[in-house]
PDB file of all heavy atoms in Angstrom:
ATOM      1  N   ASN A1652      91.488  87.109 101.630  1.00  0.00           N
ATOM      2  CA  ASN A1652      92.789  86.445 101.572  1.00  0.00           C
ATOM      3  C   ASN A1652      92.968  85.604 100.310  1.00  0.00           C
ATOM      4  O   ASN A1652      94.068  85.536  99.754  1.00  0.00           O
ATOM      5  CB  ASN A1652      92.982  85.561 102.803  1.00  0.00           C
ATOM      6  CG  ASN A1652      93.205  86.368 104.069  1.00  0.00           C
ATOM      7  OD1 ASN A1652      93.543  87.545 104.002  1.00  0.00           O
ATOM      8  ND2 ASN A1652      93.003  85.757 105.216  1.00  0.00           N
ATOM      9  N   ALA A1653      91.892  84.981  99.852  1.00  0.00           N
ATOM     10  CA  ALA A1653      92.003  84.046  98.719  1.00  0.00           C
ATOM     11  C   ALA A1653      91.590  84.660  97.391  1.00  0.00           C
ATOM     12  O   ALA A1653      91.996  84.192  96.326  1.00  0.00           O
ATOM     13  CB  ALA A1653      91.157  82.795  98.995  1.00  0.00           C
ATOM     14  N   GLY A1654      90.778  85.699  97.417  1.00  0.00           N
ATOM     15  CA  GLY A1654      90.262  86.278  96.177  1.00  0.00           C
ATOM     16  C   GLY A1654      88.793  85.944  95.998  1.00  0.00           C
ATOM     17  O   GLY A1654      88.245  85.040  96.624  1.00  0.00           O
ATOM     18  N   VAL A1655      88.137  86.696  95.113  1.00  0.00           N
ATOM     19  CA  VAL A1655      86.704  86.546  94.867  1.00  0.00           C
ATOM     20  C   VAL A1655      86.466  85.413  93.872  1.00  0.00           C
ATOM     21  O   VAL A1655      87.112  85.376  92.819  1.00  0.00           O
ATOM     22  CB  VAL A1655      86.128  87.866  94.316  1.00  0.00           C
ATOM     23  CG1 VAL A1655      84.685  87.694  93.881  1.00  0.00           C
ATOM     24  CG2 VAL A1655      86.236  88.963  95.365  1.00  0.00           C
ATOM     25  N   PRO A1656      85.560  84.478  94.160  1.00  0.00           N
ATOM     26  CA  PRO A1656      85.258  83.408  93.199  1.00  0.00           C
ATOM     27  C   PRO A1656      84.608  83.971  91.934  1.00  0.00           C
ATOM     28  O   PRO A1656      83.525  84.554  91.991  1.00  0.00           O
ATOM     29  CB  PRO A1656      84.285  82.497  93.957  1.00  0.00           C
ATOM     30  CG  PRO A1656      84.442  82.853  95.392  1.00  0.00           C
ATOM     31  CD  PRO A1656      84.804  84.306  95.416  1.00  0.00           C
ATOM     32  N   ALA A1657      85.268  83.827  90.806  1.00  0.00           N
ATOM     33  CA  ALA A1657      84.731  84.326  89.546  1.00  0.00           C
ATOM     34  C   ALA A1657      83.802  83.300  88.928  1.00  0.00           C
ATOM     35  O   ALA A1657      83.862  82.099  89.230  1.00  0.00           O
ATOM     36  CB  ALA A1657      85.875  84.657  88.587  1.00  0.00           C
ATOM     37  N   ARG A1658      82.918  83.768  88.061  1.00  0.00           N
ATOM     38  CA  ARG A1658      82.011  82.870  87.347  1.00  0.00           C
ATOM     39  C   ARG A1658      82.827  81.958  86.433  1.00  0.00           C
ATOM     40  O   ARG A1658      83.723  82.418  85.720  1.00  0.00           O
ATOM     41  CB  ARG A1658      81.002  83.678  86.529  1.00  0.00           C
ATOM     42  CG  ARG A1658      79.993  82.832  85.767  1.00  0.00           C
ATOM     43  CD  ARG A1658      79.061  83.715  84.966  1.00  0.00           C
ATOM     44  NE  ARG A1658      78.143  84.453  85.820  1.00  0.00           N
ATOM     45  CZ  ARG A1658      76.935  84.019  86.178  1.00  0.00           C
ATOM     46  NH1 ARG A1658      76.508  82.830  85.757  1.00  0.00           N
ATOM     47  NH2 ARG A1658      76.163  84.747  86.945  1.00  0.00           N
ATOM     48  N   GLN A1659      82.512  80.683  86.447  1.00  0.00           N
ATOM     49  CA  GLN A1659      83.209  79.726  85.610  1.00  0.00           C
ATOM     50  C   GLN A1659      82.592  79.708  84.220  1.00  0.00           C
ATOM     51  O   GLN A1659      81.399  79.448  84.059  1.00  0.00           O
ATOM     52  CB  GLN A1659      83.130  78.317  86.222  1.00  0.00           C
ATOM     53  CG  GLN A1659      83.837  78.201  87.564  1.00  0.00           C
ATOM     54  CD  GLN A1659      85.329  78.475  87.445  1.00  0.00           C
ATOM     55  OE1 GLN A1659      85.997  77.936  86.562  1.00  0.00           O
ATOM     56  NE2 GLN A1659      85.839  79.311  88.337  1.00  0.00           N
ATOM     57  N   GLU A1660      83.397  80.013  83.223  1.00  0.00           N
ATOM     58  CA  GLU A1660      82.921  80.027  81.842  1.00  0.00           C
ATOM     59  C   GLU A1660      83.033  78.636  81.237  1.00  0.00           C
ATOM     60  O   GLU A1660      83.988  77.898  81.499  1.00  0.00           O
ATOM     61  CB  GLU A1660      83.742  81.014  81.010  1.00  0.00           C
ATOM     62  CG  GLU A1660      83.711  82.441  81.537  1.00  0.00           C
ATOM     63  CD  GLU A1660      82.354  83.095  81.392  1.00  0.00           C
ATOM     64  OE1 GLU A1660      81.515  82.543  80.652  1.00  0.00           O
ATOM     65  OE2 GLU A1660      82.141  84.124  82.037  1.00  0.00           O
ATOM     66  N   LYS A1661      82.037  78.272  80.418  1.00  0.00           N
ATOM     67  CA  LYS A1661      82.061  76.959  79.762  1.00  0.00           C
ATOM     68  C   LYS A1661      83.149  76.908  78.697  1.00  0.00           C
ATOM     69  O   LYS A1661      83.826  75.907  78.527  1.00  0.00           O
ATOM     70  CB  LYS A1661      80.697  76.667  79.132  1.00  0.00           C
ATOM     71  CG  LYS A1661      79.595  76.481  80.173  1.00  0.00           C
ATOM     72  CD  LYS A1661      78.273  76.153  79.518  1.00  0.00           C
ATOM     73  CE  LYS A1661      77.183  75.960  80.568  1.00  0.00           C
ATOM     74  NZ  LYS A1661      75.862  75.651  79.959  1.00  0.00           N
ATOM     75  N   LYS A1662      83.291  78.018  77.990  1.00  0.00           N
ATOM     76  CA  LYS A1662      84.334  78.072  76.980  1.00  0.00           C
ATOM     77  C   LYS A1662      85.650  78.476  77.625  1.00  0.00           C
ATOM     78  O   LYS A1662      85.691  78.955  78.748  1.00  0.00           O
ATOM     79  CB  LYS A1662      83.955  79.084  75.885  1.00  0.00           C
ATOM     80  CG  LYS A1662      82.689  78.698  75.114  1.00  0.00           C
ATOM     81  CD  LYS A1662      82.386  79.747  74.058  1.00  0.00           C
ATOM     82  CE  LYS A1662      81.126  79.370  73.290  1.00  0.00           C
ATOM     83  NZ  LYS A1662      80.790  80.390  72.252  1.00  0.00           N
TER      84      LYS A1662
END
Side-chain angles (χ1 to χ4, degrees):
N1652 289 342
V1655 173
R1658 181 181 289 269
Q1659 296 298 312
E1660 302 291 346
K1661 293 182 180 179
K1662 297 180 180 179

